[in-house]
Amino acid sequence: MHALSVSVVNALVLAEDKKPEDNDVVAGWTAFWIFIGLIVAVVVIGFALTRSLRTAQKAKDAGVYGDQPEPADKPE
């Protein structure tokens, strides 16, 4: 009995053609804010990465990782 009722409901759903028009399908404001949020996330991650790399370079120059410390006045 369950299979019959599912088949009937499925046939009714398939019989209705609820295809939207091309102009009715838009991204909307939710997608806009998600896109803006992703841009902000990339900026925050980039800022954190830059800061982290600067800290690691300063530690390397100070000899924290077992390297020889860089002289305070490097000849260029």
Side-chain angles (χ1 to χ4, degrees), residues 48-65:
L49 176 65
T50 303
R51 193 169 165 188
S52 208
L53 289 174
R54 278 191 201 137
T55 304
Q57 186 62 43
K58 286 179 186 177
K60 181 181 177 211
D61 291 344
V64 173
Y65 301 127

Side-chain angles (χ1 to χ4, degrees), residues 3-44:
L4 177 63
S5 63
V6 169
S7 297
V8 169
V9 170
N10 193 18
L12 292 174
V13 168
L14 290 177
E16 296 179 22
D17 188 20
K18 294 184 179 181
K19 191 174 184 182
E21 296 295 322
D22 287 339
N23 293 335
D24 293 340
V25 180
V26 294
W29 287 104
T30 304
F32 173 75
W33 289 114
I34 289 172
F35 185 70
I36 296 299
L38 289 172
I39 290 172
V40 169
V42 168
V43 169
V44 168

